[in-house]
Amino acid sequence: MKTAFWVGRLAARASRKTGLGGGGVIGGRVLLALAPGAPHELARGRSAMLVSGTNGKTTTTAYLTAAMRTLGPVDTNADGANTQPGLAQALAAGSAPSLVLETDEGWLPWALREVEPVTAVLLNLSRDQLHRHHEVAHLARTWRDAMPGVAHVVANADDPAVVMAALAAPEQTWVGLGTGWTGDTQVCPRCGDECLREDGDWRCRACELRRPQPQWWVEDDDLVSATDRVHLGLALPGSANRANAAMAVAAAARLGADPQTAVEAIRLITGVAGRYDFFTSEQHRARLILAKNPASWFEALEMVSEYDTPVVLAFNSNGVDGLDPSWLYDVPFAGLAGRPVVVTGRRSTDMHVRLEMDGLTDVRLAPDVRVAIAMQPPGEVHVIANYTAFQDARKVLGHDQ
């Protein structure tokens, strides 16, 4: 075990020095190859919290880490490496008594077995990379089958797939986040009948699955429980980030953090792994937003609707993006009407056609994100990009927070 640990660390260090990148993943792969049981041993005696879901994992993990650090030292996988190798490397990289680990939704059952966390934070389940995660209901069932492996979950009360899975855990803390994207919640994940929604409530028409009563909920810009009301006032924009903060504070409070102190720590976060970072030039100040799938594109468009700014849309369909972009037709783009829109990316033509179908006919194309921003009127610009386009944009623009 000690030999595997040091060889893995050397492999990670060598990868970083040679500029290959992915040091944490490479180090974790070496560690797992030499000592498959290492994650279980490295987690033993430590208080671990796992954060999983289709959207919001990275931001919620950063929020929860900040909140838990009000109680003491915390190790985390801040680089976002959230599958087997990344989790193994994160466990090996430090020795803090507490852990907050972002966990890929497909790898959550494995992580629950190996890490044996004190709680799991279950955010949402929606369509993402269907070539990798198959259908949402299938993923929800794998979560449900794994839930007896964790004593307690903090779960989104407004996502039927999450609720079905979380009910299999011994204990739940329910958080009411409100309804944003509902495109993947219209069918009951338990029986396949229709989920009915009315006045913020939901229930299955045929079986007993329904919205549980939340212990925490979001009201405008406040987080509320039976005993607390905390004003969020986040640096990061949008209802999605208020939801991420709500989940993080509810989880931290469960382990003894003061909600007000936790929120004050969370407010200091102005960007997460490039998300929401600003890039400046002589004429523009561009804010970069990651949107990977129908639900996160819906949230990103809602976010920019709060601002009267030009928009750049960057869209690829490389491997980690998912190869099939047809889900674009489920995303409502009509709210962009009346503002300057420029489209770029390897699948910019697909995006251009989709926008035309929503009545946006004055849309321009650009060869890359830098040119796209330059084509916009001077001032602030919002850039919404899916995963590989987001990474391309960060490289092209350079970072200026």
Side-chain angles (χ1 to χ4, degrees):
M1 171 70 169
K2 287 184 179 179
T3 301
F5 172 84
W6 286 109
V7 173
R9 177 167 287 188
L10 288 171
R13 190 177 301 165
S15 178
R16 294 188 186 99
K17 283 187 175 181
T18 57
L20 295 176
V25 173
I26 292 171
R29 285 176 178 165
V30 172
L31 176 62
L32 287 168
L34 296 176
H40 186 76
E41 292 299 318
L42 291 166
R44 190 187 301 276
R46 303 166 79 181
S47 178
M49 309 177 80
L50 303 182
V51 178
S52 196
T54 307
N55 296 307
K57 295 185 291 294
T58 303
T59 301
T60 304
T61 298
Y63 280 166
L64 181 53
T65 300
M68 291 302 297
R69 281 177 176 160
T70 66
L71 299 176
V74 179
D75 287 336
T76 187
N77 51 342
D79 61 356
N82 59 21
T83 60
Q84 262 187 324
L87 293 169
Q89 180 61 24
L91 287 163
S95 57
S98 295
L99 292 156
V100 177
L101 299 175
E102 173 185 340
T103 309
D104 178 87
E105 57 270 34
W107 285 105
L108 180 62
W110 175 86
L112 291 173
R113 291 193 306 270
E114 295 297 321
V115 177
E116 296 181 348
V118 294
T119 194
V121 181
L122 309 180
L123 302 175
N124 48 66
L125 286 172
S126 67
R127 279 171 295 162
D128 193 25
Q129 301 167 9
L130 293 183
H131 67 286
R132 186 164 68 94
H133 283 322
H134 310 293
E135 296 294 338
V136 174
H138 170 79
L139 192 54
R141 287 190 291 271
T142 68
W143 275 24
R144 178 195 59 194
D145 295 344
M147 284 301 112
V150 59
H152 171 262
V153 296
V154 177
N156 178 0
D158 290 296
D159 188 317
V162 168
V163 171
M164 183 198 72
L167 285 169
E171 187 179 359
Q172 304 85 16
T173 295
W174 300 108
V175 185
L177 304 178
T179 54
W181 171 257
T182 59
D184 297 303
T185 63
Q186 297 176 14
V187 175
C188 176
R190 176 182 286 171
C191 73
D193 211 293
E194 183 182 6
C195 275
L196 304 175
R197 290 185 177 270
E198 184 178 2
D199 297 329
D201 199 7
W202 65 264
R203 64 178 178 84
C204 175
R205 186 177 63 174
C207 73
E208 296 179 355
L209 190 67
R210 65 175 304 147
R211 184 180 190 257
Q213 183 64 40
Q215 286 97 3
W216 292 86
W217 60 94
V218 177
E219 288 184 3
D220 297 323
D221 201 23
D222 290 350
L223 177 60
V224 184
S225 73
T227 58
D228 296 280
R229 177 180 283 270
V230 184
H231 182 66
L232 293 172
L234 305 174
L236 301 186
S239 59
N241 285 315
R242 289 191 287 274
N244 294 335
M247 297 293 287
V249 173
R254 166 76 184 191
L255 293 185
D258 173 67
Q260 181 64 49
T261 305
V263 168
E264 289 171 1
I266 285 171
R267 285 181 191 146
L268 299 176
I269 295 175
T270 59
V272 179
R275 295 156 175 83
Y276 314 107
D277 282 358
F278 285 101
F279 301 85
T280 59
S281 64
E282 291 183 3
Q283 292 190 306
H284 296 94
R285 188 169 187 255
R287 189 170 209 173
L288 187 56
I289 300 169
L290 175 66
K292 309 181 295 181
N293 49 49
S296 59
W297 273 90
F298 176 89
E299 297 290 355
L301 291 167
E302 180 187 64
M303 195 179 296
V304 302
S305 71
E306 300 175 10
Y307 304 86
D308 185 20
T309 57
V311 174
V312 170
L313 306 179
F315 190 68
N316 294 342
S317 64
N318 298 342
V320 294
D321 300 314
L323 303 179
D324 180 3
S326 61
W327 53 259
L328 275 178
Y329 291 86
D330 293 333
V331 180
F333 289 95
L336 294 177
R339 67 175 76 195
V341 178
V342 179
V343 174
T344 188
R346 296 179 184 88
R347 299 300 290 264
S348 58
T349 301
D350 297 80
M351 179 65 78
H352 191 258
V353 171
R354 174 69 189 96
L355 295 178
E356 284 187 341
M357 294 186 68
D358 262 4
L360 281 75
T361 57
D362 190 22
V363 175
R364 294 178 292 169
L365 295 171
D368 62 51
V369 70
R370 187 188 296 277
V371 173
I373 293 169
M375 291 167 63
Q376 295 285 26
E380 188 160 310
V381 179
H382 281 96
V383 180
I384 306 176
N386 68 340
Y387 190 77
T388 61
F390 176 87
Q391 300 299 343
D392 290 346
R394 293 188 74 195
K395 291 175 184 176
V396 168
L397 297 174
H399 179 246
D400 181 13
Q401 177 75 302

